[in-house]
Each structure stands twice: as structure tokens, then as C-alpha cells.
Amino acid sequence: MRAWQTVELGAPSDVLRLNPEVEAPTPLPGTVHLQVSAAGIGLPDALMCQGSYPLTPAAFPFTQGQEVVGRILGHGEGVEERRSGDRVMAVTHFFTGQGGFAEQCLVLDDFCLPVPDAMNDAEAAGFLIPFHTAYIALVARAKLEPGETLLVLGAAGGTGQAALQIGKALGAKVIAT
């Protein structure tokens, strides 16, 4: 299978290479094997190329890409109620080098969710991590209430955009920078 792999540390444009002969992953316990339809890309991916992200795989080459959407091909031990062919969005097993910048990848069963029919692949591939992060920050931590003012710094990024939408849905007055 094909995969974009990081072959050494450096700027993404210098160290990412398309490898046409990567072995397809074998499901590990607690993982789901996906045929990738679309992969999200974010700042952690650039930081992994530079080796400055805490969960950067240790060995080269590795396939990064933290979030994906795709169809289930199979699963490892300890995974129940997953059907081949189901369309899901998920967080990948990127920290072992089995990320989503490939035709197939492994994803974490605990962060593998069905995709609503109204959501296209591109939307689903960039949804889970930013919206999960923003929801935890605004609801669980900040306990944002209707009528409060929310200032979102970095509103142009994925998590910033998610915070804008969640803040508005919760009834806050949202200010973005």
C-alpha cells in the first residue's frame, strides 16, 4: 500500500516521502483496521516531522496522521461490535507509526465513532480531535454558560474554529482573534 512517511527530522516539505510499498498494518489488541477515505492534518503533524511533538514515533520511517475517516476492514482482540464496511471517524495509532497518511491504518477502538450520513469525509476527517478538545475545554473545564462572553484566541485553527461553533451553540457571546 502507499503511505506518506516521515523519513528523518526536518521541515515537512523536506522529510515527507510517498512510499508505494508499505506493508498493510495488522490489527493490534484494542485497534480497528481501516481503509482510509480522508485524513485530517494539523499542527501536531508538522511538529512530528521536526521531532518536537511528545508522541512522535521513535523509529524512521513512520506514518503520521492523527485523525481519519474510513471504512472498517477488521479489528484486533478486545474490540467488539465493529462491522466490516462501517464508515467511521477515528483517532489513529499514529504514536506507533501507524497513522492515517496511508491507504490503510490502525485506529484506537475507544476513539472510533460512526460518521453521520450528513457529514462528508473531509468534514469527518477534521472533526474528532478539534471538537473533542474544544468541548472538554468549554464544557467540562470552563463550564461555559449561555450569555457569557467567550474569547477564542487562534480562531483560525481547527480547535479555534470548533470552539467558535461550540461556544455559539452553547449560547455564549463569541469574540474571535
Side-chain angles (χ1 to χ4, degrees):
M1 74 170 187
R2 294 177 302 164
W4 282 97
Q5 294 191 305
T6 303
V7 297
E8 62 184 336
L9 297 180
S13 61
D14 297 332
V15 301
L16 283 169
R17 301 280 187 278
L18 181 60
N19 184 342
E21 298 179 5
V22 175
E23 193 171 315
T26 300
L28 302 169
T31 67
V32 178
H33 184 195
L34 291 189
Q35 179 71 42
V36 176
S37 301
I41 188 167
L43 179 59
D45 298 302
L47 296 176
M48 276 187 255
C49 288
Q50 299 165 2
S52 59
Y53 190 72
L55 298 175
T56 300
F60 294 103
F62 62 85
T63 304
Q64 55 194 62
Q66 292 185 322
E67 64 184 319
V68 295
V69 62
R71 301 257 177 210
I72 294 176
L73 295 171
H75 56 79
E77 292 180 36
V79 176
E80 298 180 24
E81 300 185 34
R82 297 286 182 192
R83 291 190 337 230
S84 291
D86 282 357
R87 184 170 165 253
V88 295
M89 61 179 135
V91 174
T92 72
H93 216 256
F94 69 92
F95 46 88
T96 62
Q98 298 289 337
F101 296 166
E103 292 178 305
Q104 297 177 21
C105 73
L106 299 180
V107 301
L108 305 172
D109 183 45
D110 291 342
F111 282 95
C112 182
L113 304 167
V115 180
D117 290 337
M119 187 178 276
N120 68 39
D121 287 348
E123 293 165 337
F127 180 84
L128 194 54
I129 291 175
F131 278 84
H132 184 252
T133 302
Y135 183 86
I136 294 292
L138 298 177
V139 176
R141 299 276 173 93
K143 302 192 183 330
L144 186 65
E145 296 288 332
E148 290 184 323
T149 300
L150 170 65
L151 173 61
V152 179
L153 302 175
T159 302
Q161 285 289 317
L164 292 173
Q165 294 176 55
I166 291 171
K168 185 174 179 179
L170 292 172
K173 177 183 176 185
V174 180
I175 301 170
T177 64

